[in-house]
């Protein structure tokens, strides 16, 4: 997870961007922080999806094969 300081900095830069604009170096910093945030978020989301099992109303496992394969890779 991204540190609290980095999350706060993302918010600061966003507010400043809306109110007065950002310098080139601040825009680059904002882009890098956002990219880091998105990588962390996507990784956490993928890990969460790997732990999900989908069942129909009758209780039959209908988890997509692609997800089952990912789970098997994760276990090995």
């Amino acid at each position: 997870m991204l540190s609290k300081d980095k999350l706060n900095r993302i918010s600061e830069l966003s507010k400043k961007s809306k109110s007065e604009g950002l310098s080139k170096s601040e825009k680059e910093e904002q882009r890098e922080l956002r990219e880091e945030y998105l990588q962390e978020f996507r990784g956490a989301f993928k890990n969460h999806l790997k732990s999900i099992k989908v069942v129909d109303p009758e209780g039959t496992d209908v988890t997509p094969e692609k997800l089952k394969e990912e789970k098997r890779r994760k276990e090995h």
Side-chain angles (χ1 to χ4, degrees), residues 11-70:
S11 294
E12 288 172 14
L13 289 170
S14 178
K15 288 176 189 173
K16 184 176 179 185
S17 174
K18 292 174 186 173
S19 65
E20 60 190 81
L22 300 175
S23 68
K24 281 187 179 185
S25 63
E26 288 172 327
K27 285 180 185 180
E28 180 62 21
E29 179 186 8
Q30 183 183 45
R31 187 194 62 73
E32 289 173 3
L33 287 170
R34 284 180 172 172
E35 184 59 36
E36 186 178 349
Y37 172 81
L38 286 174
Q39 286 176 354
E40 292 281 332
F41 179 85
R42 289 176 182 137
F45 188 77
K46 284 180 181 179
N47 283 336
H48 181 70
L49 281 178
K50 290 176 186 175
S51 68
I52 292 176
K53 180 178 181 179
V54 182
V55 293
D56 66 12
E58 290 81 38
T60 307
D61 184 358
V62 292
T63 305
E65 278 305 313
K66 187 175 181 179
L67 185 54
K68 288 180 183 179
E69 290 172 18
E70 284 292 322

